[in-house]
Short mmCIF file of all heavy atoms in Angstrom, two decimals:
data_model
loop_
_atom_site.label_atom_id
_atom_site.label_comp_id
_atom_site.label_asym_id
_atom_site.label_seq_id
_atom_site.Cartn_x
_atom_site.Cartn_y
_atom_site.Cartn_z
N MET A 1 -10.41 3.76 -9.68
CA MET A 1 -9.33 3.14 -8.87
C MET A 1 -8.19 4.11 -8.65
O MET A 1 -7.54 4.43 -9.58
CB MET A 1 -8.82 1.78 -9.62
CG MET A 1 -7.86 0.97 -8.79
SD MET A 1 -7.73 -0.63 -9.48
CE MET A 1 -6.59 -0.40 -10.82
N SER A 2 -8.00 4.52 -7.38
CA SER A 2 -6.94 5.50 -7.12
C SER A 2 -5.73 4.73 -6.86
O SER A 2 -5.67 3.84 -5.98
CB SER A 2 -7.31 6.41 -6.09
OG SER A 2 -7.41 5.71 -4.86
N ILE A 3 -4.62 5.08 -7.45
CA ILE A 3 -3.34 4.44 -7.26
C ILE A 3 -2.42 5.36 -6.41
O ILE A 3 -2.34 6.62 -6.70
CB ILE A 3 -2.67 4.10 -8.60
CG1 ILE A 3 -3.58 2.95 -9.18
CG2 ILE A 3 -1.24 3.61 -8.46
CD1 ILE A 3 -3.09 2.54 -10.59
N THR A 4 -1.73 4.77 -5.50
CA THR A 4 -0.84 5.65 -4.69
C THR A 4 0.49 4.80 -4.42
O THR A 4 0.44 3.61 -4.77
CB THR A 4 -1.48 5.98 -3.33
OG1 THR A 4 -0.64 6.79 -2.60
CG2 THR A 4 -1.84 4.77 -2.50
N THR A 5 1.43 5.49 -4.05
CA THR A 5 2.63 4.78 -3.74
C THR A 5 3.17 5.17 -2.32
O THR A 5 3.07 6.38 -2.01
CB THR A 5 3.81 5.22 -4.74
OG1 THR A 5 3.33 4.91 -6.09
CG2 THR A 5 5.16 4.53 -4.51
N LEU A 6 3.55 4.25 -1.51
CA LEU A 6 4.13 4.53 -0.21
C LEU A 6 5.63 4.78 -0.38
O LEU A 6 6.30 3.97 -0.90
CB LEU A 6 3.88 3.36 0.71
CG LEU A 6 2.42 2.92 0.98
CD1 LEU A 6 2.40 1.65 1.85
CD2 LEU A 6 1.63 4.00 1.56
N SER A 7 5.98 5.96 0.04
CA SER A 7 7.37 6.33 0.04
C SER A 7 8.15 5.51 1.19
O SER A 7 7.63 5.35 2.26
CB SER A 7 7.68 7.83 0.23
OG SER A 7 7.02 8.55 -0.76
N ALA A 8 9.39 5.16 0.83
CA ALA A 8 10.19 4.35 1.80
C ALA A 8 10.49 5.20 3.03
O ALA A 8 10.64 6.35 2.94
CB ALA A 8 11.48 3.90 1.10
N PRO A 9 10.62 4.53 4.14
CA PRO A 9 10.91 5.30 5.39
C PRO A 9 12.22 6.01 5.26
O PRO A 9 13.16 5.46 4.62
CB PRO A 9 11.13 4.07 6.44
CG PRO A 9 10.38 2.93 5.88
CD PRO A 9 10.46 3.04 4.37
N GLY A 10 12.25 7.18 5.82
CA GLY A 10 13.44 8.08 5.68
C GLY A 10 13.54 8.87 4.48
O GLY A 10 14.36 9.74 4.39
N SER A 11 12.70 8.55 3.48
CA SER A 11 12.72 9.39 2.21
C SER A 11 11.88 10.62 2.47
O SER A 11 11.22 10.81 3.41
CB SER A 11 12.24 8.55 1.07
OG SER A 11 10.91 8.27 1.15
N GLU A 12 11.90 11.47 1.48
CA GLU A 12 11.26 12.87 1.65
C GLU A 12 9.77 12.78 2.03
O GLU A 12 9.36 13.43 2.96
CB GLU A 12 11.35 13.59 0.28
CG GLU A 12 10.95 15.08 0.50
CD GLU A 12 11.17 15.87 -0.77
OE1 GLU A 12 11.71 15.28 -1.78
OE2 GLU A 12 10.78 17.03 -0.77
N TYR A 13 9.08 11.83 1.44
CA TYR A 13 7.62 11.80 1.75
C TYR A 13 7.31 10.52 2.55
O TYR A 13 6.10 10.21 2.84
CB TYR A 13 6.79 11.77 0.53
CG TYR A 13 6.95 13.09 -0.30
CD1 TYR A 13 7.63 13.06 -1.46
CD2 TYR A 13 6.38 14.24 0.14
CE1 TYR A 13 7.87 14.29 -2.13
CE2 TYR A 13 6.61 15.42 -0.50
CZ TYR A 13 7.35 15.46 -1.66
OH TYR A 13 7.54 16.62 -2.40
N GLY A 14 8.30 9.76 2.97
CA GLY A 14 8.03 8.60 3.67
C GLY A 14 7.96 8.73 5.14
O GLY A 14 8.20 9.82 5.63
N PRO A 15 7.58 7.68 5.95
CA PRO A 15 7.56 7.78 7.39
C PRO A 15 8.93 7.84 8.00
O PRO A 15 9.93 7.66 7.26
CB PRO A 15 6.80 6.54 7.76
CG PRO A 15 7.11 5.52 6.68
CD PRO A 15 7.28 6.39 5.37
N CYS A 16 9.00 8.17 9.25
CA CYS A 16 10.28 8.21 9.93
C CYS A 16 10.91 6.83 9.89
O CYS A 16 10.29 5.86 9.89
CB CYS A 16 10.12 8.68 11.39
SG CYS A 16 9.29 10.25 11.60
N LEU A 17 12.27 6.83 9.89
CA LEU A 17 13.01 5.53 9.85
C LEU A 17 12.76 4.80 11.15
O LEU A 17 12.58 3.59 11.15
CB LEU A 17 14.50 5.87 9.73
CG LEU A 17 15.12 5.82 8.32
CD1 LEU A 17 16.56 6.03 8.39
CD2 LEU A 17 14.77 4.46 7.65
N ASP A 18 12.80 5.49 12.31
CA ASP A 18 12.62 4.78 13.62
C ASP A 18 11.17 4.88 14.03
O ASP A 18 10.47 5.72 13.55
CB ASP A 18 13.49 5.56 14.64
CG ASP A 18 14.97 5.59 14.32
OD1 ASP A 18 15.40 4.52 13.90
OD2 ASP A 18 15.61 6.63 14.35
N PRO A 19 10.78 3.91 14.77
CA PRO A 19 9.42 3.81 15.28
C PRO A 19 9.03 5.16 15.96
O PRO A 19 9.92 5.69 16.70
CB PRO A 19 9.42 2.71 16.28
CG PRO A 19 10.51 1.76 15.94
CD PRO A 19 11.60 2.70 15.26
N CYS A 20 7.95 5.75 15.62
CA CYS A 20 7.57 7.06 16.16
C CYS A 20 6.04 7.03 16.50
O CYS A 20 5.41 6.09 16.17
CB CYS A 20 7.91 8.18 15.16
SG CYS A 20 6.94 7.98 13.64
N GLY A 21 5.60 8.12 17.05
CA GLY A 21 4.19 8.17 17.43
C GLY A 21 3.32 8.95 16.45
O GLY A 21 2.24 9.21 16.68
N HIS A 22 3.92 9.41 15.30
CA HIS A 22 3.14 10.16 14.32
C HIS A 22 2.07 9.35 13.72
O HIS A 22 2.30 8.22 13.24
CB HIS A 22 4.07 10.72 13.22
CG HIS A 22 5.20 11.41 13.70
ND1 HIS A 22 6.52 11.31 13.33
CD2 HIS A 22 5.34 12.47 14.68
CE1 HIS A 22 7.32 12.08 13.90
NE2 HIS A 22 6.60 12.83 14.73
N ILE A 23 0.83 9.83 13.77
CA ILE A 23 -0.32 9.11 13.21
C ILE A 23 -0.06 8.74 11.74
O ILE A 23 -0.28 7.64 11.30
CB ILE A 23 -1.60 9.98 13.24
CG1 ILE A 23 -1.82 10.46 14.74
CG2 ILE A 23 -2.73 9.19 12.80
CD1 ILE A 23 -2.64 9.53 15.61
N ASP A 24 0.46 9.71 10.96
CA ASP A 24 0.68 9.48 9.52
C ASP A 24 1.65 8.38 9.30
O ASP A 24 1.44 7.51 8.47
CB ASP A 24 1.18 10.78 8.85
CG ASP A 24 0.08 11.76 8.64
OD1 ASP A 24 -1.05 11.48 9.07
OD2 ASP A 24 0.35 12.86 8.21
N CYS A 25 2.74 8.39 10.07
CA CYS A 25 3.82 7.36 9.92
C CYS A 25 3.23 5.99 10.36
O CYS A 25 3.52 5.11 9.61
CB CYS A 25 4.97 7.72 10.75
SG CYS A 25 5.81 9.31 10.41
N GLN A 26 2.52 5.98 11.37
CA GLN A 26 1.95 4.72 11.80
C GLN A 26 1.06 4.09 10.71
O GLN A 26 1.07 2.91 10.48
CB GLN A 26 1.22 4.89 13.11
CG GLN A 26 2.18 5.03 14.28
CD GLN A 26 1.40 5.25 15.67
OE1 GLN A 26 0.29 5.50 15.69
NE2 GLN A 26 2.21 5.13 16.73
N GLU A 27 0.23 5.04 10.13
CA GLU A 27 -0.67 4.59 9.13
C GLU A 27 0.09 3.96 7.92
O GLU A 27 -0.38 2.88 7.42
CB GLU A 27 -1.55 5.81 8.74
CG GLU A 27 -2.81 5.39 8.02
CD GLU A 27 -3.72 6.55 7.85
OE1 GLU A 27 -4.28 7.03 8.77
OE2 GLU A 27 -3.92 7.01 6.65
N ILE A 28 1.04 4.68 7.52
CA ILE A 28 1.91 4.23 6.33
C ILE A 28 2.53 2.90 6.65
O ILE A 28 2.50 1.96 5.81
CB ILE A 28 2.83 5.27 5.93
CG1 ILE A 28 2.21 6.54 5.38
CG2 ILE A 28 3.84 4.76 4.87
CD1 ILE A 28 3.11 7.72 5.20
N ARG A 29 3.12 2.75 7.77
CA ARG A 29 3.81 1.60 8.16
C ARG A 29 2.78 0.43 8.28
O ARG A 29 3.05 -0.69 7.82
CB ARG A 29 4.45 1.69 9.54
CG ARG A 29 5.90 2.31 9.52
CD ARG A 29 6.67 2.13 10.72
NE ARG A 29 6.14 2.94 11.79
CZ ARG A 29 6.71 4.17 12.07
NH1 ARG A 29 7.78 4.52 11.46
NH2 ARG A 29 6.21 4.84 13.04
N HIS A 30 1.60 0.69 8.77
CA HIS A 30 0.56 -0.31 8.90
C HIS A 30 0.16 -0.84 7.50
O HIS A 30 0.06 -2.06 7.29
CB HIS A 30 -0.72 0.26 9.67
CG HIS A 30 -1.83 -0.73 9.70
ND1 HIS A 30 -1.78 -1.76 10.53
CD2 HIS A 30 -2.99 -0.83 8.92
CE1 HIS A 30 -2.93 -2.44 10.36
NE2 HIS A 30 -3.71 -1.93 9.41
N ILE A 31 0.00 0.07 6.63
CA ILE A 31 -0.36 -0.28 5.23
C ILE A 31 0.73 -1.13 4.62
O ILE A 31 0.49 -2.14 3.94
CB ILE A 31 -0.81 0.90 4.34
CG1 ILE A 31 -1.96 1.67 4.85
CG2 ILE A 31 -1.01 0.46 2.86
CD1 ILE A 31 -2.27 2.94 4.26
N ALA A 32 1.91 -0.62 4.72
CA ALA A 32 3.11 -1.27 4.06
C ALA A 32 3.31 -2.73 4.65
O ALA A 32 3.83 -3.58 3.88
CB ALA A 32 4.35 -0.42 4.32
N GLN A 33 2.96 -2.96 5.89
CA GLN A 33 3.13 -4.21 6.46
C GLN A 33 1.99 -5.18 6.27
O GLN A 33 2.07 -6.37 6.61
CB GLN A 33 3.43 -4.11 7.94
CG GLN A 33 4.82 -3.54 8.26
CD GLN A 33 4.99 -2.96 9.67
OE1 GLN A 33 4.10 -3.22 10.47
NE2 GLN A 33 6.03 -2.25 9.88
N SER A 34 0.94 -4.65 5.83
CA SER A 34 -0.25 -5.51 5.57
C SER A 34 -0.20 -6.25 4.25
O SER A 34 0.48 -5.71 3.31
CB SER A 34 -1.56 -4.76 5.65
OG SER A 34 -1.55 -3.63 4.82
N PRO A 35 -0.82 -7.37 4.20
CA PRO A 35 -0.63 -8.18 2.86
C PRO A 35 -1.54 -7.68 1.86
O PRO A 35 -2.69 -7.23 2.05
CB PRO A 35 -1.02 -9.61 3.27
CG PRO A 35 -1.97 -9.41 4.53
CD PRO A 35 -1.50 -8.10 5.18
N CYS A 36 -1.05 -7.70 0.58
CA CYS A 36 -1.91 -7.54 -0.61
C CYS A 36 -3.04 -8.58 -0.61
O CYS A 36 -2.76 -9.71 -0.34
CB CYS A 36 -1.06 -7.72 -1.80
SG CYS A 36 -1.97 -7.79 -3.42
N VAL A 37 -4.28 -8.16 -0.76
CA VAL A 37 -5.48 -9.08 -0.63
C VAL A 37 -5.45 -9.96 -1.74
O VAL A 37 -6.25 -10.94 -1.74
CB VAL A 37 -6.74 -8.34 -0.42
CG1 VAL A 37 -6.83 -7.57 0.92
CG2 VAL A 37 -7.00 -7.40 -1.56
N ILE A 38 -4.69 -9.74 -2.83
CA ILE A 38 -4.74 -10.62 -4.00
C ILE A 38 -3.59 -11.59 -4.06
O ILE A 38 -3.76 -12.83 -4.28
CB ILE A 38 -4.83 -9.77 -5.24
CG1 ILE A 38 -6.08 -8.96 -5.21
CG2 ILE A 38 -4.71 -10.61 -6.59
CD1 ILE A 38 -6.26 -7.81 -6.17
N CYS A 39 -2.29 -11.04 -3.93
CA CYS A 39 -1.18 -12.08 -4.00
C CYS A 39 -0.66 -12.44 -2.54
O CYS A 39 0.22 -13.29 -2.49
CB CYS A 39 -0.07 -11.41 -4.80
SG CYS A 39 0.83 -10.09 -4.05
N PHE A 40 -1.11 -11.75 -1.55
CA PHE A 40 -0.78 -12.03 -0.22
C PHE A 40 0.70 -11.71 0.22
O PHE A 40 1.06 -12.06 1.28
CB PHE A 40 -1.15 -13.48 0.25
CG PHE A 40 -2.56 -13.75 -0.05
CD1 PHE A 40 -2.99 -14.70 -1.01
CD2 PHE A 40 -3.62 -13.17 0.67
CE1 PHE A 40 -4.26 -14.98 -1.33
CE2 PHE A 40 -4.90 -13.43 0.38
CZ PHE A 40 -5.26 -14.37 -0.56
N LEU A 41 1.37 -11.06 -0.76
CA LEU A 41 2.72 -10.60 -0.26
C LEU A 41 2.49 -9.24 0.43
O LEU A 41 1.45 -8.61 0.17
CB LEU A 41 3.63 -10.39 -1.51
CG LEU A 41 3.92 -11.75 -2.28
CD1 LEU A 41 4.66 -11.38 -3.57
CD2 LEU A 41 4.74 -12.66 -1.45
N THR A 42 3.41 -8.82 1.25
CA THR A 42 3.28 -7.53 1.93
C THR A 42 3.26 -6.40 0.94
O THR A 42 3.86 -6.48 -0.20
CB THR A 42 4.34 -7.31 2.91
OG1 THR A 42 5.59 -7.56 2.33
CG2 THR A 42 4.14 -8.12 4.18
N ILE A 43 2.46 -5.38 1.16
CA ILE A 43 2.36 -4.26 0.28
C ILE A 43 3.63 -3.63 0.01
O ILE A 43 4.07 -3.39 -1.10
CB ILE A 43 1.32 -3.25 0.93
CG1 ILE A 43 -0.07 -3.81 0.90
CG2 ILE A 43 1.36 -1.90 0.27
CD1 ILE A 43 -0.76 -3.93 -0.34
N GLY A 44 4.40 -3.34 1.12
CA GLY A 44 5.74 -2.79 0.98
C GLY A 44 5.75 -1.33 0.53
O GLY A 44 4.75 -0.66 0.38
N TYR A 45 7.01 -0.82 0.25
CA TYR A 45 7.17 0.50 -0.19
C TYR A 45 7.59 0.66 -1.66
O TYR A 45 8.10 -0.23 -2.26
CB TYR A 45 8.28 1.23 0.75
CG TYR A 45 7.94 1.29 2.21
CD1 TYR A 45 8.37 0.32 3.02
CD2 TYR A 45 7.07 2.26 2.63
CE1 TYR A 45 8.06 0.31 4.42
CE2 TYR A 45 6.76 2.32 3.96
CZ TYR A 45 7.26 1.38 4.95
OH TYR A 45 6.83 1.39 6.22
N ASP A 46 7.39 1.83 -2.13
CA ASP A 46 7.91 2.24 -3.44
C ASP A 46 7.24 1.37 -4.57
O ASP A 46 7.98 1.08 -5.56
CB ASP A 46 9.41 2.15 -3.50
CG ASP A 46 10.02 3.44 -2.89
OD1 ASP A 46 9.34 4.46 -2.89
OD2 ASP A 46 11.12 3.43 -2.44
N CYS A 47 6.12 0.97 -4.40
CA CYS A 47 5.45 0.27 -5.49
C CYS A 47 4.02 0.80 -5.55
O CYS A 47 3.45 1.25 -4.57
CB CYS A 47 5.49 -1.21 -5.40
SG CYS A 47 4.56 -1.88 -4.01
N GLU A 48 3.32 0.80 -6.68
CA GLU A 48 1.96 1.28 -6.86
C GLU A 48 1.00 0.35 -6.13
O GLU A 48 1.02 -0.74 -6.37
CB GLU A 48 1.65 1.41 -8.31
CG GLU A 48 2.51 2.55 -8.97
CD GLU A 48 2.02 2.81 -10.39
OE1 GLU A 48 1.60 1.87 -11.09
OE2 GLU A 48 2.12 4.07 -10.86
N ILE A 49 0.20 0.96 -5.37
CA ILE A 49 -0.87 0.26 -4.62
C ILE A 49 -2.14 0.95 -4.84
O ILE A 49 -2.20 2.09 -5.17
CB ILE A 49 -0.57 0.10 -3.14
CG1 ILE A 49 -0.48 1.48 -2.48
CG2 ILE A 49 0.76 -0.73 -2.88
CD1 ILE A 49 -0.60 1.40 -0.98
N THR A 50 -3.28 0.26 -4.57
CA THR A 50 -4.56 0.83 -4.73
C THR A 50 -5.38 0.32 -3.54
O THR A 50 -5.27 -0.75 -3.03
CB THR A 50 -5.20 0.48 -6.11
OG1 THR A 50 -6.45 1.20 -6.22
CG2 THR A 50 -5.48 -1.02 -6.19
N MET A 51 -6.38 1.22 -3.13
CA MET A 51 -7.32 0.84 -2.11
C MET A 51 -8.60 0.30 -2.73
O MET A 51 -9.20 0.90 -3.61
CB MET A 51 -7.71 2.05 -1.22
CG MET A 51 -8.44 1.56 0.05
SD MET A 51 -9.40 2.89 0.76
CE MET A 51 -8.18 3.70 1.77
N LEU A 52 -8.93 -0.94 -2.37
CA LEU A 52 -10.17 -1.53 -2.98
C LEU A 52 -11.40 -0.95 -2.31
O LEU A 52 -11.41 -0.26 -1.28
CB LEU A 52 -10.07 -3.06 -2.75
CG LEU A 52 -8.85 -3.64 -3.39
CD1 LEU A 52 -8.85 -5.14 -3.16
CD2 LEU A 52 -8.63 -3.31 -4.85
N GLU A 53 -12.58 -1.39 -2.84
CA GLU A 53 -13.84 -0.79 -2.36
C GLU A 53 -14.09 -1.06 -0.90
O GLU A 53 -14.68 -0.28 -0.20
CB GLU A 53 -14.98 -1.37 -3.18
CG GLU A 53 -15.07 -0.67 -4.59
CD GLU A 53 -16.13 -1.41 -5.45
OE1 GLU A 53 -16.94 -2.22 -4.91
OE2 GLU A 53 -16.17 -1.11 -6.66
N ASP A 54 -13.54 -2.18 -0.45
CA ASP A 54 -13.89 -2.55 0.95
C ASP A 54 -12.84 -2.00 1.93
O ASP A 54 -12.76 -2.27 3.04
CB ASP A 54 -13.86 -4.14 1.11
CG ASP A 54 -12.60 -4.79 0.75
OD1 ASP A 54 -11.60 -4.09 0.33
OD2 ASP A 54 -12.48 -6.01 0.83
N GLY A 55 -11.91 -1.15 1.42
CA GLY A 55 -10.93 -0.48 2.24
C GLY A 55 -9.63 -1.21 2.41
O GLY A 55 -8.70 -0.76 3.04
N SER A 56 -9.54 -2.46 1.78
CA SER A 56 -8.27 -3.13 1.90
C SER A 56 -7.36 -2.73 0.72
O SER A 56 -7.79 -2.06 -0.25
CB SER A 56 -8.61 -4.66 1.71
OG SER A 56 -9.27 -4.99 0.53
N PHE A 57 -6.04 -3.07 0.88
CA PHE A 57 -5.08 -2.65 -0.09
C PHE A 57 -4.58 -3.72 -0.96
O PHE A 57 -4.42 -4.87 -0.51
CB PHE A 57 -3.90 -1.92 0.59
CG PHE A 57 -4.32 -0.52 1.10
CD1 PHE A 57 -4.81 -0.39 2.36
CD2 PHE A 57 -4.13 0.52 0.33
CE1 PHE A 57 -5.23 0.79 2.84
CE2 PHE A 57 -4.50 1.80 0.85
CZ PHE A 57 -5.03 1.97 2.05
N ALA A 58 -4.28 -3.49 -2.27
CA ALA A 58 -3.62 -4.40 -3.05
C ALA A 58 -2.64 -3.69 -3.98
O ALA A 58 -2.66 -2.47 -4.14
CB ALA A 58 -4.73 -5.08 -3.96
N HIS A 59 -1.65 -4.40 -4.40
CA HIS A 59 -0.70 -3.84 -5.46
C HIS A 59 -1.56 -3.52 -6.67
O HIS A 59 -2.50 -4.12 -7.07
CB HIS A 59 0.33 -4.84 -5.88
CG HIS A 59 1.24 -5.34 -4.75
ND1 HIS A 59 1.18 -6.66 -4.34
CD2 HIS A 59 2.03 -4.63 -3.95
CE1 HIS A 59 2.04 -6.74 -3.32
NE2 HIS A 59 2.58 -5.61 -3.08
N ALA A 60 -1.23 -2.36 -7.31
CA ALA A 60 -1.98 -1.86 -8.51
C ALA A 60 -1.98 -2.96 -9.58
O ALA A 60 -3.00 -3.21 -10.15
CB ALA A 60 -1.33 -0.59 -8.93
N ILE A 61 -0.88 -3.55 -9.79
CA ILE A 61 -0.79 -4.55 -10.87
C ILE A 61 -1.66 -5.81 -10.53
O ILE A 61 -2.29 -6.40 -11.34
CB ILE A 61 0.66 -5.08 -11.19
CG1 ILE A 61 1.48 -5.32 -9.99
CG2 ILE A 61 1.35 -4.02 -12.12
CD1 ILE A 61 2.80 -5.92 -10.18
N CYS A 62 -1.71 -6.13 -9.24
CA CYS A 62 -2.53 -7.29 -8.77
C CYS A 62 -3.94 -6.95 -9.04
O CYS A 62 -4.70 -7.79 -9.54
CB CYS A 62 -2.29 -7.66 -7.38
SG CYS A 62 -0.60 -8.23 -7.00
N ALA A 63 -4.34 -5.75 -8.64
CA ALA A 63 -5.73 -5.32 -8.76
C ALA A 63 -6.18 -5.30 -10.21
O ALA A 63 -7.27 -5.69 -10.58
CB ALA A 63 -5.96 -3.95 -8.11
N GLU A 64 -5.18 -4.81 -11.05
CA GLU A 64 -5.53 -4.71 -12.47
C GLU A 64 -5.81 -6.04 -13.02
O GLU A 64 -6.78 -6.30 -13.84
CB GLU A 64 -4.44 -3.99 -13.23
CG GLU A 64 -4.62 -2.51 -13.34
CD GLU A 64 -3.43 -1.79 -13.89
OE1 GLU A 64 -2.68 -2.42 -14.78
OE2 GLU A 64 -3.19 -0.68 -13.41
N SER A 65 -4.91 -7.03 -12.82
CA SER A 65 -5.07 -8.38 -13.41
C SER A 65 -6.26 -9.06 -12.80
O SER A 65 -6.98 -9.80 -13.49
CB SER A 65 -3.81 -9.18 -13.16
OG SER A 65 -3.55 -9.38 -11.78
N ALA A 66 -6.64 -8.72 -11.57
CA ALA A 66 -7.84 -9.44 -11.00
C ALA A 66 -9.04 -8.88 -11.69
O ALA A 66 -9.96 -9.60 -11.91
CB ALA A 66 -7.90 -9.01 -9.48
N LEU A 67 -9.08 -7.44 -11.98
CA LEU A 67 -10.13 -6.92 -12.67
C LEU A 67 -10.28 -7.53 -14.08
O LEU A 67 -11.41 -7.78 -14.55
CB LEU A 67 -9.99 -5.43 -12.77
CG LEU A 67 -10.32 -4.62 -11.48
CD1 LEU A 67 -10.10 -3.14 -11.68
CD2 LEU A 67 -11.78 -4.88 -11.01
N GLU A 68 -9.13 -7.76 -14.64
CA GLU A 68 -9.22 -8.30 -16.07
C GLU A 68 -9.75 -9.77 -16.03
O GLU A 68 -10.61 -10.02 -16.84
CB GLU A 68 -7.76 -8.40 -16.58
CG GLU A 68 -7.35 -7.10 -17.40
CD GLU A 68 -5.92 -7.16 -17.76
OE1 GLU A 68 -5.33 -8.28 -18.05
OE2 GLU A 68 -5.30 -6.05 -17.83
N LYS A 69 -9.33 -10.49 -15.05
CA LYS A 69 -9.83 -11.87 -14.92
C LYS A 69 -11.38 -11.86 -14.66
O LYS A 69 -12.11 -12.66 -15.08
CB LYS A 69 -9.16 -12.56 -13.72
CG LYS A 69 -7.91 -13.29 -14.18
CD LYS A 69 -7.26 -13.95 -13.01
CE LYS A 69 -5.72 -14.06 -13.22
NZ LYS A 69 -5.06 -14.18 -11.91
N ALA A 70 -11.86 -10.81 -13.97
CA ALA A 70 -13.25 -10.71 -13.64
C ALA A 70 -14.02 -10.17 -14.90
O ALA A 70 -15.20 -10.10 -14.86
CB ALA A 70 -13.51 -9.65 -12.50
N GLY A 71 -13.33 -9.83 -15.89
CA GLY A 71 -13.89 -9.40 -17.16
C GLY A 71 -14.41 -8.04 -17.15
O GLY A 71 -15.27 -7.57 -17.91
N LYS A 72 -13.81 -7.09 -16.26
CA LYS A 72 -14.24 -5.75 -16.20
C LYS A 72 -13.29 -4.89 -17.02
O LYS A 72 -12.16 -5.11 -17.08
CB LYS A 72 -14.22 -5.30 -14.75
CG LYS A 72 -15.44 -5.87 -14.06
CD LYS A 72 -15.46 -5.35 -12.56
CE LYS A 72 -16.53 -6.09 -11.78
NZ LYS A 72 -16.35 -5.97 -10.40
ZN1 ZN B 1 7.08 9.83 12.24
ZN1 ZN B 2 -0.12 -8.12 -4.82
#
């Protein structure tokens, strides 16, 4: 399970503050605005997230507790 953190817009590694056409920025914004597949809150910035096997994203803590419940 690879864990990553989305940097906030305007920060050193984050996307541009204003809407822009950069592929990287658009991708980060898209992930940040999509819902966690486990708790359904938006992924957001500056928190640990993980990509699940099906390519969807979840908060790292949500994924961990889901795995625990599954007995893995
Ligand atoms: Zn940009
Ligand atoms: Zn979550």
Side-chain angles (χ1 to χ4, degrees):
M1 187 163 78
S2 69
I3 292 178
T4 183
T5 301
L6 298 179
S7 299
S11 67
E12 191 174 357
Y13 298 106
C16 303
L17 264 182
D18 299 315
C20 63
H22 305 132
I23 305 269
D24 285 357
C25 298
Q26 287 181 344
E27 197 172 291
I28 293 171
R29 276 195 287 263
H30 175 75
I31 297 170
Q33 286 162 13
S34 53
C36 166
V37 293
I38 296 165
C39 74
F40 304 113
L41 297 173
T42 47
I43 292 287
Y45 296 98
D46 282 333
C47 65
E48 290 185 329
I49 61 165
T50 185
M51 194 203 274
L52 305 179
E53 281 172 16
D54 63 358
S56 57
F57 287 89
H59 300 115
I61 43 168
C62 295
E64 268 171 34
S65 61
L67 283 178
E68 269 172 32
K69 275 180 203 156
K72 285 182 191 165

